C-alpha cells in the first residue's frame, strides 16, 4: 500500500505554536522532508523527534520530488515541513503536492502558523475578500505585469517582503495603488512583534530615518467602491451622452442595457437619458448645422 504525504505547519517564531498533532506526526512518519535540514534539526531536537531528515528545497524541488514520490509509492509515509510556517506558501511544496495528486498519493495537511493569515487577521482591514501575492517577482518585466494587474484590485492584498527590500516594494506599491491604508506586521508571534496600521506615505516617511529590521508582511487595503466610482465618473465626464452610449453598445450591451448603465453612471433616471437622446444634437460649429 502506498504511503501518505503530510504537510505539516511549524511555528513562524514561537515554538509554543507547534501543535500536538504536528509533533506526533513528525515522530511517526518514516522521513521528514525539510527546506533546510540544519534549521529543522533545532526544531525536531526541541520536541524530541528522532525521525530522519532529508532536504527538499527550491533548487532540488523537481528531482527530489521524484525521489520522494518513489518512496511514497513504496509505502513510506513522509512529512513535509519548511523553515517556518505552512509548506507550499511562498515555500517549496507545490510541486511535490501536484505530483502526488497526479500519482494518486493521499496528501493531508496539519494546519498551523502561516504569516499571511496571521497578518491579515491582525490588519484591521477587510478580511471578507483578500488575495495573497506573496513576494513580488524579482524579474523586472514580471514584476511590472503583476503591479499592473493589481492596480484595480478591490480585495485586501497580502505581500511578503525581506527587510532590505521593504522600502523599495512599499514605494512601488504606492506608485501603482496611490495612497492607501496599509498594515505592516513585523516579527509575528515573536517577542518584538509589531503591528503598524498606517498608510504608504506615513510608512515611507518613517523608513527614511528608521531602517526596517526583521520579517515583514505588508497588508494593503483594496481599492474602495468610492474610489472606483470616482474613477469611472472621470472616464465619462468628457463624453457626450451619445458617446457614452456608444461606449457601452460597442462593448456588446444592447440599447436598453446601455441606457440603464449610462443613467446609473450619471446618477440620473433612464427617462432623462431617453429624452437627451431624442434631442437634436447641437453642432459644434453653428454654421455646420445650416
Ligand atoms: N511558509 C511561510 C508561511 O507560512 O507564512 C512563509 C515563508 S516565506 C519564505 C518567508 C516570508 O514570510 C518572510 O519574508 C516574511 O515576509 C513572512 N514571514 C515569515 N515569518 C514571519 C514572521 N514571524 N513575521 C512576519 N513575517 C513573517
Amino acid at each position: 500500500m502506498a504511503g501518505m504525504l503530510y504537510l505539516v505547519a511549524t511555528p513562524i517564531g514561537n515554538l509554543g505554536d507547534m501543535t500536538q498533532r504536528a509533533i506526533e506526526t513528525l515522530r511517526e512518519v518514516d522521513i521528514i522532508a525539510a527546506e533546510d535540514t540544519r534549521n529543522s534539526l533545532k526544531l525536531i531536537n526541541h520536541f524530541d523527534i528522532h525521525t530522519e531528515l532529508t532536504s527538499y528545497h527550491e533548487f532540488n524541488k523537481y528531482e527530489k520530488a521524484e525521489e520522494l514520490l518513489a518512496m511514497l509509492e513504496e509505502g513510506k509515509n513522509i512529512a513535509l515541513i519548511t523553515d517556518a510556517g505552512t509548506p507550499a506558501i511562498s515555500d517549496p511544496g507545490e510541486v511535490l503536492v501536484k505530483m502526488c495528486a497526479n500519482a494518486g498519493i493521499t496528501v493531508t495537511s496539519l494546519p498551523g502558523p502561516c504569516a499571511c493569515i496571521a497578518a491579515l487577521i491582525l490588519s484591521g482591514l477587510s478580511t471578507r475578500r483578500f488575495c495573497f501575492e506573496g513576494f513580488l517577482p524579482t524579474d523586472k518585466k514580471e514584476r511590472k505585469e503583476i503591479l499592473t494587474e493589481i492596480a484595480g484590485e478591490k480585495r485586501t492584498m497580502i505581500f511578503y517582503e525581506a527587510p532590505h527590500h521593504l522600502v523599495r516594494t512599499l514605494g512601488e506599491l504606492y506608485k501603482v495603488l496611490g495612497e492607501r491604508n496599509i498594515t505592516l506586521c513585523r516579527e509575528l508571534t515573536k517577542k518584538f512583534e509589531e503591528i503598524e496600521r498606517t498608510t504608504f506615505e506615513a510608512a515611507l516617511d518613517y523608513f527614511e530615518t528608521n531602517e526596517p529590521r526583521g520579517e515583514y508582511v505588508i497588508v494593503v487595503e483594496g481599492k474602495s467602491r468610492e474610489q472606483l466610482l470616482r474613477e469611472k465618473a472621470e472616464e465619462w465626464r468628457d463624453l457626450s451622452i451619445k458617446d457614452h452610449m456608444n461606449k457601452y453598445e460597442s462593448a456588446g450591451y444592447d440599447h436598453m442595457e446601455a441606457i440603464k448603465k449610462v443613467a446609473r453612471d450619471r446618477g440620473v433616471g433612464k427617462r432623462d437619458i431617453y429624452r437627451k437622446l431624442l434631442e437634436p444634437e447641437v453642432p459644434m460649429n453653428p454654421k455646420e448645422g445650416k
Side-chain angles (χ1 to χ4, degrees):
M1 218 172 77
M4 254 169 83
L5 176 68
Y6 296 81
L7 304 174
V8 182
T10 55
I12 55 169
N14 188 325
L15 288 174
D17 291 337
M18 186 77 169
T19 68
Q20 192 57 36
R21 197 155 80 94
I23 299 170
E24 281 159 18
T25 302
L26 294 182
R27 281 188 187 141
E28 285 162 15
V29 289
D30 297 294
I31 194 156
I32 301 171
E35 197 183 357
D36 178 338
T37 49
R38 265 189 307 179
N39 191 43
S40 296
L41 200 58
K42 290 181 220 150
L43 178 89
I44 69 165
N45 282 343
H46 180 88
F47 289 104
D48 201 21
I49 296 163
H50 301 283
T51 312
E52 182 191 339
L53 285 170
T54 188
S55 69
Y56 179 74
H57 50 69
E58 189 56 35
F59 306 104
N60 72 357
K61 64 182 178 186
Y62 295 103
E63 318 85 80
K64 195 57 182 261
E66 298 278 1
E67 266 179 50
L68 295 172
L69 186 61
M71 291 165 84
L72 286 159
E73 279 169 341
E74 276 168 20
K76 297 253 191 298
N77 288 317
I78 300 179
L80 177 69
I81 61 174
T82 74
D83 275 354
T86 299
I89 296 296
S90 293
D91 266 327
E94 187 185 313
V95 172
L96 180 61
V97 173
K98 201 174 277 175
M99 280 171 69
C100 287
N102 290 341
I105 298 287
T106 307
V107 184
T108 190
S109 73
L110 278 75
C114 186
C116 68
I117 296 298
L120 173 71
I121 61 173
L122 285 165
S123 68
L125 300 171
S126 171
T127 58
R128 203 175 71 81
R129 296 184 70 215
F130 61 89
C131 61
F132 175 62
E133 292 293 337
F135 292 98
L136 284 173
T138 44
D139 176 82
K140 266 191 179 170
K141 193 167 157 255
E142 277 179 54
R143 196 173 173 97
K144 205 168 163 199
E145 269 170 24
I146 300 279
L147 287 169
T148 312
E149 264 176 45
I150 60 169
E153 181 58 65
K154 287 184 272 180
R155 295 169 294 178
T156 302
M157 291 160 270
I158 310 167
F159 301 87
Y160 282 166
E161 195 47 283
H164 53 288
H165 289 138
L166 185 76
V167 172
R168 173 184 163 206
T169 298
L170 286 176
E172 287 180 353
L173 290 172
Y174 174 48
K175 211 165 149 196
V176 171
L177 305 174
E179 182 61 319
R180 292 281 173 95
N181 290 317
I182 65 170
T183 301
L184 296 177
C185 300
R186 179 180 168 269
E187 298 285 85
L188 287 163
T189 74
K190 300 184 194 174
K191 193 171 170 195
F192 297 107
E193 173 177 287
E194 267 177 17
I195 311 300
E196 193 60 37
R197 300 182 183 92
T198 179
T199 64
F200 280 127
E201 283 176 15
L204 286 164
D205 274 356
Y206 175 82
F207 288 123
E208 267 183 25
T209 46
N210 297 276
E211 196 188 334
R213 289 219 177 95
E215 299 199 90
Y216 282 90
V217 182
I218 312 167
V219 189
V220 180
E221 180 182 42
K223 190 171 262 187
S224 67
R225 212 179 118 71
E226 294 70 40
Q227 200 174 345
L228 278 168
L229 287 174
R230 252 198 322 274
E231 282 175 12
K232 224 170 166 205
E234 273 159 24
E235 260 175 42
W236 57 256
R237 198 180 303 155
D238 296 330
L239 296 180
S240 68
I241 301 252
K242 204 158 169 240
D243 288 343
H244 198 169
M245 283 289 295
N246 277 341
K247 194 177 144 242
Y248 282 119
E249 285 176 336
S250 53
Y253 289 98
D254 70 26
H255 192 65
M256 298 307 287
E257 286 169 334
I259 288 182
K260 212 164 140 184
K261 288 207 151 284
V262 170
R264 190 176 300 156
D265 283 351
R266 292 177 178 249
V268 296
K270 281 184 287 183
R271 277 163 178 273
D272 299 310
I273 304 299
Y274 286 128
R275 215 172 296 132
K276 283 277 181 204
L277 287 172
L278 291 175
E279 280 174 12
E281 264 202 274
V282 181
M284 295 287 280
N285 176 351
K287 279 186 193 156
E288 283 172 13
K290 283 188 183 161

